């Protein structure tokens, strides 16, 4: 507690700012290992590892967007079931790369970061991933085959409503 007559609590030294960039590299290597296990050939993996290096070195670059999108395209090219453990792992790891890159882009390499400062972002990350896993479970439970046109129309209307609601909420903030 701080206030008149109280002593401020000293902060721990924290972690160096480059730790977030190193984490981008480590998570990128894990993504590359999953892509390799899924059957992605050597040349695309080498290109991906080059993107990992660029994104870790310059987290405020467009390489981060490619770093997140590349695994999805690679898995589409390889083929397979749309909902499988590797896909779900890559969704979570892609989200983690996005969050790490966002924070690494804001913090200078020579700065210090206190792990407590990352707690709200970590809780948000976990909440989003819980929602993604719940939706994936719902998709797995849905019957396969052709969907009725009425259900498709309702789904499109709901998607449009979500986008319109998001745009309306974003308009209020600005």
């Amino acid at each position: 507690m701080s206030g008149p007559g109280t002593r401020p609590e000293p902060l721990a030294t924290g972690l160096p700012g480059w730790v977030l960039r190193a984490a981008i590299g480590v998570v990128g290597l894990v993504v590359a290992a999953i892509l390799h296990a899924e059957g992605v050939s050597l040349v695309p993996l080498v290109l991906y590892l080059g993107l990992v290096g660029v994104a870790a070195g310059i987290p405020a670059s467009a390489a981060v967007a490619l770093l997140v999108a590349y695994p999805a395209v690679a898995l589409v090219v390889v083929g397979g079931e749309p909902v499988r453990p590797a896909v779900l792992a890559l969704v979570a790891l892609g989200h983690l790369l996005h969050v790490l890159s966002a924070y690494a882009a804001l913090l200078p390499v020579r700065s210090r970061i206190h792990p407590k400062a990352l707690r709200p972002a970590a809780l948000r990350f976990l909440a989003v991933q819980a929602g993604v896993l719940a939706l994936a479970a719902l998709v797995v439970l849905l019957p396969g085959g052709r969907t009725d046109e009425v259900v498709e129309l309702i789904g499109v209307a709901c998607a449009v409503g979500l986008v319109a609601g998001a745009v309306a909420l974003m308009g209020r903030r600005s």
Side-chain angles (χ1 to χ4, degrees):
M1 298 179 133
S2 63
T6 61
R7 295 179 63 181
E9 186 177 324
L11 291 174
T13 58
L15 301 170
W18 58 262
V19 168
L20 291 175
R21 294 168 190 249
I24 293 169
V26 170
V27 174
L29 289 175
V30 172
V31 170
I34 292 172
L35 290 175
H36 178 66
E38 286 293 307
V40 175
S41 62
L42 185 62
V43 173
L45 283 176
V46 170
L47 290 172
Y48 185 75
L49 290 174
L51 279 174
V52 169
V54 171
I58 312 168
S61 68
V64 175
L66 293 172
L67 195 67
V68 173
Y70 196 104
V73 173
L75 285 185
V76 167
V77 171
V78 169
E81 287 292 317
V83 180
R84 58 185 188 267
V87 172
L88 296 176
L90 287 175
V91 167
L93 291 172
H95 184 202
L96 184 58
L97 282 169
H98 168 70
V99 171
L100 287 171
S101 297
Y103 278 98
L106 294 173
L107 295 173
V109 176
R110 295 182 183 199
S111 65
R112 305 295 285 178
I113 183 157
H114 299 277
K116 285 183 178 181
L118 297 176
R119 189 168 193 262
L123 292 175
R124 243 185 340 267
F125 173 83
L126 291 174
V128 168
Q129 290 309 311
V132 167
L133 286 176
L135 285 174
L138 181 64
V139 167
V140 168
L141 294 175
L142 290 174
R146 181 81 176 129
T147 306
D148 293 334
E149 291 83 10
V150 174
V151 175
E152 288 181 0
L153 286 173
I154 291 171
V156 169
C158 289
V160 169
L162 286 172
V163 170
V167 169
L169 288 174
M170 288 172 59
R172 288 184 190 169
R173 289 185 181 178
S174 45

